[in-house]
Amino acid sequence: LAAAQDRGVRIDGLLSAAVDGDGVRVRAFLEADPDLARGSLHVACALGDDDAALRALARDPDAARAPGGALGWTPLLYVTCARIASPESAASRTRIARALLEKGADATDRARDAQLFRGERSALSGAVGVVRDVELARALVEAGAARADHLWQMAILAEAARHDDLACVRLLLPLGPPSWELNGALIERVERDDPGGVRLLLAAGADPNASGVWGRVGTSLHQAILGGASIATLEALLAGNVDVDARDRDGRTALAVAVRTANDAARALLADRATREATDADALDELLGACVRADAVDARRRLAAQPDLAKRFRRTDHQLLPWAVRTGRGASALLLSDIGLDAGVADDDGNHALALAVERGDIALVRELLAGDAPIDARDLRGKTALDRALALDESTESRASLVDALLAAGADAREVRAFPTGDERLDDELRRRGAVERDDASEAFERAAEAVVEGDVATLVTLLDESPELARAHSPRPHGATLLHYVSANGLEAHRQRTPPNAPDVLALLLAAGAEPDALCTTYGGGPAQTTLALLVSSDWPAKAGVQGELVERLCAAGANPNGLDDDGVPLATAIAFRCPQAVAALARVARLDNPLFAAAAGQAELVLASIDELGRARAGAGHCRVPWLHMSADPARVGEQTLIVAAEFGHERLVRALLDRGVDPNGAPVSDRTALHEAAFMGHVRVVEALLASGADAGRRESQFGSTALGWALEGERTDVIEAILARFAPDLFDAVELNLPEHVQRNLERDASWVNGKEGRGGPLLFAAARGFADVVRVLLAHGADATITTPDGKTALELARDGEHDAVLEILG
């Protein structure tokens, strides 16, 4: 028994090492006991040993579905997700996977994975992101992996787009990835300066006007220029109809970014395409561009002519300094520092200029930055300082010792270094003399604390913080780098931890009292200034459903979180509006600036709104503008009036809605996705607002373009029965709404008027398939009586009969026979 237990421990250790990709530990286990590779199907799968795996399957076919090892993974997950995988083992892993699938393994298998942003890995995402083999991925797709729940939540297409070979991208595109996956993949190819990949993804429907963090949430064109992409990539984006005149959150066009990054080729390309307004050079952009060119004479001339330019620097201007270091422009970085850019401002990945210079091994630049105002012990989103990064450099790196010596001589604090001992006896003696001590891995304590936060386990959290006070400000070892405070937001983190306990405000108060930083950043959703706890909290369903979202917002802001966002641009309120979170909007409205009509409308501040909207329903000259792109505020005065009405309707401000309608704002105005004020009011359940809009001529039959739904469909989605009744009292639904709402009498009337729609748009059978899947027996009967075709199938091949059988709708089954 003892021998068996010991063998089980060794198998678990070998499996963990294989999953972690620790080749040294794997070899040590196998050298100590070569039979470990042959004694377990799970081990054979993790190692990609097809001979051993197929023999084990022959002995016990049922093992194909059995979880095993300390991780509890199935054999298919070990085959696809063990990081010990190599290109040489891909063919063997594909053979194993096909054999497992033939024996009944589930192609939709998934498991937790702490090394991923969302904390979950599927077999298919492992094939794409770990093994990186298209044939293995194809075997899973053919076996039904694409039907997995939450398939696209694992950023699988973006992961495929990180490969040099785009074979996996081409495999996944026909599966219908959602827009955010296509856009994420596009940014990956933009960052890799791949014009062919850019064209492939644009042809598949990616939006060139979407962007990642390095584009300051502008467009992919902003991103491409900041990343130094080639003219070929820029031309591919332009051919894809990217908006040349679009502005990022700081109000800059792509051309302005080209100017400030001294990208003369991009500047020349865009100058011919942008509008005259967008080609106007900004003096600050020109100054920064001179610095990036390392033209000290030009930079000083410009600054002498306009000394006030140095007073206009914003946080994002200061971020050009770490950008210059990251891109290898040491001379530019020094000149930027000379004109006043602050080395204490990190980029949106949390990297400071000093740490980046250390990582590049640029000892001359490091010494210059140390001689200036660079904060020597500033930490990144992993809690590491410049000294940590220097110690993490390979021992053979020529400048490593010089970098460490320079940092220590400048006063770097050795007491908190992570990479100690280093193995270098001289260096370890010096670090020890300066207070360095060997520390236990803090990741386990952080994980326990994160679990306590989402469970609302205050007692455990108090104990952990007493034992390790640094946990309050620590960042997770997971890729998102979140703090414990971020877990209160229940947004963007590992899926199994996105929940809100009833005592979340007490948890928040405890963390803040222990020293948590209210506006700390992490790298959820690609990173950037919108990844503070507050900005994530205001769009999260979990605290809203728990009824504590408003209180959490109030407490965070009272503790110092900026209610106007890290860049003072209104991100928290814009986000709360965009995600329809009334608790968060109400709390922010009391402390945030209401400096544009949309913000004032969300807060129900009628006087502020009407001061911005004239008697023709148009925005007055000088009305404030929100540049947060996910709120999509138009520059067209008429459109601003319509958007203001939509926001007022969304948050149920009846008096303001009526006042805007009286001022001539079009009740059917739909600046974004053909979505009207009636859609928003219906979804949010504001019956009196719905009635006011209908009385003013709002079109209840209008379908928005995002989901193809009317206000009735939005009310149904929001489970607003009273709104549905209010609309039906004034409006006869069309065939599709009648089917969706299970109204057989209205289905009958529509088909009596025009039976040609019985099989839906383009004859695809939508009405019957929908009714059968939902169990609407009376609707099914009416549709069949008017000639509905019961042989039409869904895209995955199911008839109405099969859908009814899946849903166990006996009455529909009887009708369909």
Side-chain angles (χ1 to χ4, degrees), residues 30 85 113 118 172 286 335 339 401 452 486 519 523 525 604 609 673:
L30 293 177
D113 186 337
R118 301 302 297 273
L172 295 171
E286 295 283 8
L335 191 49
I339 67 165
H486 283 101
D519 269 336
T523 57
Y525 300 115
V609 172
S673 300

Side-chain angles (χ1 to χ4, degrees), residues 171 218 224 246 267 316 396 552 598 688 788 817:
L171 174 71
R267 181 176 187 173
T316 52
S396 62
L552 291 171
L598 304 192
R688 291 180 63 83

Side-chain angles (χ1 to χ4, degrees), residues 80-207:
T80 55
C81 300
R83 290 185 173 84
I84 199 67
S86 65
E88 293 75 26
S89 73
S92 297
R93 290 177 183 274
T94 302
R95 283 193 291 275
I96 297 171
R98 289 191 182 280
L100 291 168
L101 293 165
E102 288 173 5
K103 301 296 183 184
D106 186 351
T108 66
D109 269 354
R110 65 187 188 191
R112 291 182 184 177
D113 186 337
Q115 296 190 43
L116 296 184
F117 272 94
R118 301 302 297 273
E120 195 169 53
R121 169 78 76 186
S122 70
L124 182 57
S125 72
V128 168
V130 177
V131 185
R132 296 192 166 200
D133 184 72
V134 69
E135 293 307 319
L136 178 56
R138 193 187 315 281
L140 293 163
V141 169
E142 290 171 352
R147 293 196 295 270
D149 291 339
H150 309 302
L151 171 70
W152 302 110
Q153 294 294 333
M154 300 171 202
I156 186 172
L157 185 65
E159 197 156 31
R162 296 186 189 111
H163 304 188
D164 291 333
D165 178 2
L166 293 183
C168 285
V169 170
R170 292 187 175 90
L171 174 71
L172 295 171
L173 286 177
L175 303 181
S179 59
W180 65 84
E181 274 286 89
L182 287 165
N183 298 342
L186 175 65
I187 293 304
E188 292 290 343
R189 298 323 296 174
V190 166
E191 290 181 347
R192 281 156 180 74
D193 195 14
D194 173 18
V198 167
R199 285 191 291 270
L200 172 68
L201 288 157
L202 289 173
D207 180 5

Side-chain angles (χ1 to χ4, degrees), residues 35 58 193 199 202 228 295 442-443 458 558 573 582 622 785 806:
D35 288 339
D193 195 14
R199 285 191 291 270
L202 289 173
D295 188 340
S443 58
V458 171
L573 186 50
D806 289 347

Side-chain angles (χ1 to χ4, degrees), residues 142-388:
E142 290 171 352
R147 293 196 295 270
D149 291 339
H150 309 302
L151 171 70
W152 302 110
Q153 294 294 333
M154 300 171 202
I156 186 172
L157 185 65
E159 197 156 31
R162 296 186 189 111
H163 304 188
D164 291 333
D165 178 2
L166 293 183
C168 285
V169 170
R170 292 187 175 90
L171 174 71
L172 295 171
L173 286 177
L175 303 181
S179 59
W180 65 84
E181 274 286 89
L182 287 165
N183 298 342
L186 175 65
I187 293 304
E188 292 290 343
R189 298 323 296 174
V190 166
E191 290 181 347
R192 281 156 180 74
D193 195 14
D194 173 18
V198 167
R199 285 191 291 270
L200 172 68
L201 288 157
L202 289 173
D207 180 5
N209 294 310
S211 177
V213 60
W214 284 105
R216 294 294 307 155
V217 201
T219 70
S220 57
L221 195 57
H222 290 84
Q223 183 100 357
I225 293 170
L226 271 172
S230 65
I231 291 298
T233 293
L234 299 184
E235 288 177 335
L237 291 169
L238 291 168
N241 295 318
V242 68
D243 184 357
V244 181
D245 297 326
R247 297 176 184 272
D248 65 14
R249 275 178 50 194
D250 298 314
R252 301 187 193 102
T253 62
L255 180 61
V257 175
V259 171
R260 65 172 37 214
T261 57
N263 191 331
D264 293 336
R267 181 176 187 173
L269 178 69
L270 297 178
D272 293 335
R273 299 172 185 252
T275 63
R276 178 171 297 279
E277 179 188 357
T279 58
D280 290 341
D282 180 278
L284 182 55
D285 292 326
E286 295 283 8
L287 169 64
L288 295 173
C291 292
V292 171
R293 285 194 304 274
D295 188 340
V297 173
D298 187 31
R300 293 191 178 106
R301 177 181 62 79
R302 291 179 181 278
L303 198 54
Q306 291 184 264
D308 65 320
L309 288 178
K311 299 176 182 177
R312 288 170 45 189
F313 292 144
R314 293 177 289 181
R315 192 180 77 94
T316 52
D317 297 317
H318 293 292
Q319 288 182 313
L320 200 62
L321 179 56
W323 172 86
V325 179
R326 180 193 285 271
T327 55
R329 294 172 168 86
S332 304
L334 291 176
L335 191 49
L336 288 166
S337 181
D338 285 345
I339 67 165
L341 294 197
D342 184 358
V345 177
D347 66 21
D348 284 332
D349 286 338
N351 297 306
H352 293 81
L354 179 62
L356 290 168
V358 166
E359 204 161 66
R360 293 187 64 85
D362 190 338
I363 182 64
L365 179 57
V366 166
R367 287 184 174 130
E368 292 284 354
L369 289 170
L370 288 171
D373 61 354
I376 193 168
D377 291 318
R379 297 187 180 278
D380 62 18
L381 298 187
R382 300 293 177 273
K384 294 181 179 179
T385 64
L387 181 57
D388 284 310

